[in-house]
Amino acid sequence: MLRRRGWSHQVPARRAVERDEAAVAGWVKEVWPHLEPSRRRSGPGSSSRTRQDSR
């Protein structure tokens, strides 16, 4: 859809000089798992947005 409008996704040309790779890796390992929403177990449900599953 972006290309059809003449746009492109933005990608940084280079990384910041101040970036601390060790700190980023530690954050991803320690903090990120707690921020991710828990995955819902698949089960019976309804595809309707207005009606909930009738059990």
Side-chain angles (χ1 to χ4, degrees):
M1 183 165 70
L2 291 173
R3 277 194 195 171
R4 280 188 265 145
R5 296 182 182 260
W7 296 355
S8 65
H9 63 280
Q10 296 179 353
V11 177
R14 57 186 168 82
R15 295 206 185 249
V17 174
E18 301 88 1
R19 183 178 171 105
D20 182 1
E21 292 295 334
V24 172
W27 185 90
V28 169
K29 184 177 179 183
E30 299 295 324
V31 179
W32 181 250
H34 300 291
L35 297 178
E36 284 186 319
S38 60
R39 304 211 189 271
R40 295 173 66 185
R41 294 181 182 178
S42 62
S46 173
S47 61
S48 173
R49 288 182 164 188
T50 56
R51 258 180 83 184
Q52 293 184 350
D53 184 25
S54 58
R55 289 186 187 186

